[in-house]
C-alpha cells in the first residue's frame, strides 16, 4: 500500500466555491517526466515471477538518471498521481526508489511523475544482489534489469512513434538475444568492463562501451534521441543472450577515476 | 510542408535514430582498414605488435601528440568531461570486434595518458 501519510486526496485541496478557481489536472499526461503506474507495476510483477530463476537474492528498486544537460538531480519530488489522490514517493540520495503496489492507483490509472520536464530524465530498474563491492555486478541481476525494464516501459525514447518502438522492445525476448543492445549505465565513467566466470575472463570490446561511439560516426547526431545522451561515458552493452556466461558471472568495472 | 508535416518528419528521424541506437549500431564487426584511424603505425610505417604499442605509452607523461606521433591516428571517443579514450585495434581470426585485439588508452582533461589496457582477442563461437 502507498503510505497514507504521504498521500493527499484531491478533494481536500479544493477551494471554496466563492474563491477564484484553480484547477489541478491529475491522472493525465503532463509535460513532466512520468511513467504509467500500471506499467511499472507490471515490471514489479515480472520481477517477482522471474527473480527465482535469474536473481534469487536480489531486490528491485527503480532509478532516475539524467538525460539532458543541466538536469538538477537533487531534491526530486516523485509522486504517484491518480484522479482523486496523490502520494509522494521517497527518493534516495542515489536517486533510487521503491514503488509500492496499490489497488487504488491501479484503478485510477495513476501516473508516476517527477517535478522535472519531460525527457530531462530517464529510468531504469536497479536489481542488486546484496554483498557485492561497488565495482562488481552480477550478470543475472543485470539480465533481469533488462527484462523488468522492458516490462515496466522504462526506456525513455524521444520518439513519439514509441508505440511502434515498443513493439520492437517491449518483449522480454529482446533481452535474450545475443545482439541485444539494452543500454546499461554504470555508477561512474567506465574504462573497462570484464566478464568473469570461474577462470574465464573476457573484457568487452570497445564497441560494447560508450554506446558504440567508437564504431558509430553518427552517434553525436543521434544522441539527443537516446536516453544515454548524458551518460555515454557510463554506457555499456552486455551479451545477455549468450548463455555460455552463467547468471553468476561477475561483471567487473574499472572506472576512469580509479587509480592506475 | 506544414509545420505538422515537418514535425512528423523530424519525429520519424528521431524514431530512426532510436531504432539505430537500439538495434543497428554495434554490429560487432569492423573494417580493419590498413590506413584508417585505429591501425597502429610507427613513424617508419611498421605495424607494431599490441604489447609493443602499449610500451610506447608512459602513463602520467605521454601526451596525445606523443602517442599520435608514435602510433598514428587512433579511434578517438571524446567525452564532455574532457576525458578521451583512444583505441588501436588489430584484426583477429575474423572481423568481429570480439576477436580483435585492442589497446585502449585514457587521456585525462589535461591531455596526458592516465590509463592503458591491452584487450586480447577472443575466439568467436561457431
Amino acid at each position: 500500500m502507498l503510505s497514507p501519510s504521504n498521500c493527499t486526496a484531491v478533494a481536500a485541496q479544493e477551494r471554496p466555491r466563492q474563491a477564484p478557481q484553480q484547477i489541478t489536472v491529475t491522472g493525465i499526461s503532463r509535460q513532466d517526466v512520468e511513467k504509467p503506474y500500471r506499467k511499472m507495476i507490471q515490471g514489479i510483477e515480472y520481477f517477482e515471477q522471474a527473480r527465482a530463476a535469474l536473481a534469487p537474492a536480489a531486490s528491485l528498486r527503480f532509478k532516475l538518471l539524467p538525460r539532458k544537460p543541466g538536469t538538477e538531480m537533487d531534491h526530486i519530488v516523485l509522486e504517484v498521481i491518480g484522479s482523486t489522490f496523490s502520494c509522494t514517493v521517497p527518493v534516495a540520495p542515489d536517486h533510487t526508489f521503491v514503488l509500492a503496489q496499490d489497488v487504488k492507483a491501479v484503478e485510477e490509472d495513476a501516473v508516476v511523475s517527477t517535478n522535472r520536464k519531460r525527457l530531462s530524465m530517464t529510468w531504469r530498474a536497479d536489481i542488486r544482489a546484496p554483498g557485492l563491492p561497488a565495482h562488481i555486478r552480477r550478470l543475472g541481476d543485470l539480465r533481469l534489469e533488462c527484462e523488468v525494464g522492458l516490462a515496466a516501459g522504462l526506456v525513455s525514447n524521444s520518439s513519439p512513434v514509441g508505440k511502434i518502438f515498443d513493439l520492437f522492445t517491449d518483449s522480454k525476448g529482446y533481452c535474450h538475444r545475443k545482439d541485444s543492445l539494452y543500454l546499461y549505465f554504470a555508477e561512474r565513467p567506465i574504462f573497462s568492463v570484464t566478464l568473469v566466470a570461474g577462470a574465464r575472463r573476457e573484457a568487452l570490446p570497445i564497441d560494447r562501451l560508450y554506446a558504440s561511439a567508437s564504431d558509430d560516426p553518427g552517434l553525436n547526431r543521434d544522441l539527443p534521441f537516446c536516453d544515454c545522451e548524458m551518460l555515454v561515458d557510463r554506457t555499456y552493452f552486455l551479451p545477455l543472450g549468450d548463455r555460455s556466461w552463467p547468471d553468476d558471472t561477475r561483471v567487473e568495472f574499472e572506472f576512469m577515476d580509479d587509480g592506475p | 510542408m506544414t509545420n505538422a508535416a515537418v514535425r512528423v518528419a523530424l519525429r520519424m528521424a528521431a524514431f530512426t535514430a532510436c531504432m539505430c541506437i537500439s538495434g543497428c549500431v554495434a554490429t560487432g564487426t569492423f573494417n580493419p582498414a590498413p590506413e584508417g584511424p585505429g591501425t597502429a603505425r610507427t613513424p617508419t610505417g611498421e605495424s607494431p605488435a599490441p604489447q609493443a604499442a602499449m610500451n610506447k605509452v608512459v602513463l602520467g607523461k605521454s601526451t596525445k601528440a606523443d602517442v599520435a606521433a608514435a602510433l598514428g591516428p587512433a579511434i578517438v571517443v571524446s567525452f564532455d568531461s574532457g576525458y578521451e579514450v583512444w583505441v588501436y585495434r588489430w584484426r583477429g581470426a575474423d572481423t568481429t570486434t570480439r576477436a580483435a585485439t585492442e589497446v585502449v588508452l585514457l587521456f585525462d582533461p589535461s591531455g596526458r595518458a592516465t590509463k592503458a589496457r591491452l584487450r586480447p582477442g577472443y575466439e568467436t563461437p561457431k
Side-chain angles (χ1 to χ4, degrees), chain A residues 192-218:
Chain A
S192 69
V193 179
T194 303
L195 306 180
V196 182
R200 183 183 178 198
R201 295 181 65 90
E202 184 170 329
L204 297 181
I206 198 70
D207 67 336
R208 309 301 287 181
L209 310 182
Y210 315 131
S212 299
S214 60
D215 291 77
D216 181 12

Side-chain angles (χ1 to χ4, degrees), chain A residues 14-24:
Chain A
E14 288 177 355
R15 292 164 181 248
R17 285 187 181 278
Q18 60 271 28
Q21 291 283 314
Q22 287 194 0
I23 300 172
T24 300

Side-chain angles (χ1 to χ4, degrees), chain B:
Chain B
M1 190 179 277
T2 65
N3 285 344
V6 170
R7 201 175 306 125
V8 168
L10 290 171
R11 287 173 176 178
M12 286 305 292
F15 169 67
T16 303
C18 287
M19 289 294 287
C20 281
I21 285 165
S22 294
C24 302
V25 299
T27 56
T29 61
F30 72 108
N31 176 21
E35 305 304 325
T39 300
R41 291 281 178 205
T42 65
T44 55
E46 297 162 350
S47 177
Q51 187 60 57
M54 280 278 285
N55 293 343
K56 303 276 186 188
V57 181
V58 181
L59 297 185
K61 186 175 178 188
S62 295
T63 65
K64 296 175 192 174
D66 295 335
V67 175
L71 298 174
I75 297 168
V76 178
V77 182
S78 303
F79 303 105
D80 291 344
S81 61
Y83 281 86
E84 279 189 3
V85 167
W86 286 29
V87 184
Y88 295 96
R89 215 157 28 189
W90 287 258
R91 186 188 191 277
D94 54 41
T95 58
T96 63
T97 54
R98 186 166 185 264
T101 297
E102 299 172 340
V103 166
V104 184
L105 309 174
L106 178 68
F107 291 92
D108 69 11
S110 76
R112 294 194 186 278
T114 57
K115 282 179 178 286
R117 62 183 172 90
L118 197 164
R119 175 197 177 271
Y122 299 91
E123 186 178 345
T124 304
K126 302 296 180 192

Side-chain angles (χ1 to χ4, degrees), chain A residues 160-179:
Chain A
V161 284
K163 295 292 182 190
I164 301 171
F165 185 68
D166 282 348
L167 292 178
F168 176 71
T169 60
D170 193 14
S171 157
K172 273 81 73 181
Y174 183 76
C175 304
H176 300 177
R177 287 169 41 172
K178 284 192 176 181
D179 60 348

Side-chain angles (χ1 to χ4, degrees), chain A residues 41-56 60 101 144 147-148 151 172:
Chain A
I41 293 301
Q42 285 178 20
I44 294 171
E45 291 171 347
Y46 184 85
F47 170 77
E48 295 298 339
Q49 290 172 21
R51 65 188 298 186
L54 283 175
L60 166 66
Q101 300 194 49
L144 190 51
E147 295 178 23
V148 170
K172 273 81 73 181

